[in-house]
């Protein structure tokens, strides 16, 4: 399994940060792992969207439906739900992610955590590349969030 955690202080409110995360089309402006977004469906604190996945160091992956669940003012949890259209993606990898924020002097402290796991036949090939590439990708993503929200 490959896990990355990045923390950053951002001058904004928790609601502004979490609203950005819950808008996948807008968030794709700062996250290179999100390819084109086909559709977005929001129902209260749950957003589902379909997009073309892109792992750092690899070409485009399969189209995936992702589900984000908001805990207002605190966090967004992301996973790939057990749906028919996710069969290939779920066979190729496991995925979990979280965005959390806590108020601090001058804004919020954002924590971005992301984890990928792969079955044995792929693990030896994919995980070493992700260990090298994913940390810089997530750091760039969070710097992009900071720039976008602090404009």
């Amino acid at each position: 399994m490959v896990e990355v955690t990045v923390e950053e202080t951002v001058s904004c409110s928790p609601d502004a940060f979490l609203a950005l995360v819950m808008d996948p089309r807008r968030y794709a402006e700062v996250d290179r792992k999100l390819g084109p977004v086909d559709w977005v469906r929001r129902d209260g604190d749950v957003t589902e969207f379909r997009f073309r996945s892109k792992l750092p160091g690899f070409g485009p992956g399969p189209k995936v439906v992702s589900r984000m669940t908001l805990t207002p003012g605190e966090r967004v949890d992301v996973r790939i739900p057990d749906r028919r259209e996710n069969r290939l993606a779920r066979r190729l990898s496991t995925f979990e992610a979280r965005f959390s924020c806590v108020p601090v002097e001058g804004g919020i402290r954002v924590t971005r955590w992301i984890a990928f796991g792969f079955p044995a036949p792929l693990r030896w090939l994919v995980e070493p590349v992700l260990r090298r590439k994913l940390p810089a990708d997530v750091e760039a993503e969070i710097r992009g969030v900071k720039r976008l929200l602090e404009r």
Side-chain angles (χ1 to χ4, degrees):
M1 179 163 285
V2 177
E3 294 183 55
V4 173
T5 302
V6 173
E7 293 186 339
E8 179 68 65
T9 301
V10 180
S11 297
C12 72
S13 69
D15 290 338
F17 169 72
L18 296 171
L20 173 62
V21 172
M22 292 293 285
D23 182 348
R25 285 194 172 98
R26 189 164 174 229
Y27 200 83
E29 294 174 28
V30 296
D31 188 352
R32 294 178 292 213
K33 293 174 295 306
L34 295 178
V37 175
D38 294 334
W39 53 258
V40 177
R41 296 183 186 129
R42 183 154 186 187
D43 184 12
D45 292 337
V46 176
T47 296
E48 288 192 340
F49 65 103
R50 187 173 75 180
F51 69 103
R52 168 89 52 204
S53 60
K54 273 176 76 175
L55 286 178
F58 298 93
K63 287 195 176 192
V64 176
V65 174
S66 184
R67 179 177 296 145
M68 299 187 290
T69 304
L70 172 68
T71 301
E74 295 178 22
R75 65 193 276 167
V76 172
D77 295 290
V78 187
R79 65 183 190 86
I80 304 299
D82 189 13
R83 294 174 57 131
R84 168 191 251 171
E85 29 315 35
N86 288 338
R87 277 189 304 215
L88 177 59
R90 290 174 62 87
R91 282 190 194 133
L92 295 175
S93 69
T94 60
F95 168 80
E96 288 183 79
R98 182 175 46 252
F99 299 84
S100 59
C101 57
V102 294
V104 296
E105 184 70 32
I108 59 171
R109 184 72 172 172
V110 169
T111 302
R112 169 70 156 127
W113 173 80
I114 188 168
F116 291 95
F118 299 89
L122 293 175
R123 188 175 304 137
W124 68 271
L125 174 68
V126 177
E127 288 188 4
V129 174
L130 269 188
R131 279 194 181 87
R132 283 193 319 272
K133 303 266 184 184
L134 189 59
D137 182 86
V138 176
E139 288 169 8
E141 170 191 337
I142 295 304
R143 282 192 309 270
V145 167
K146 184 176 176 77
R147 278 191 308 273
L148 191 62
L149 289 172
E150 291 182 349
R151 282 191 217 168

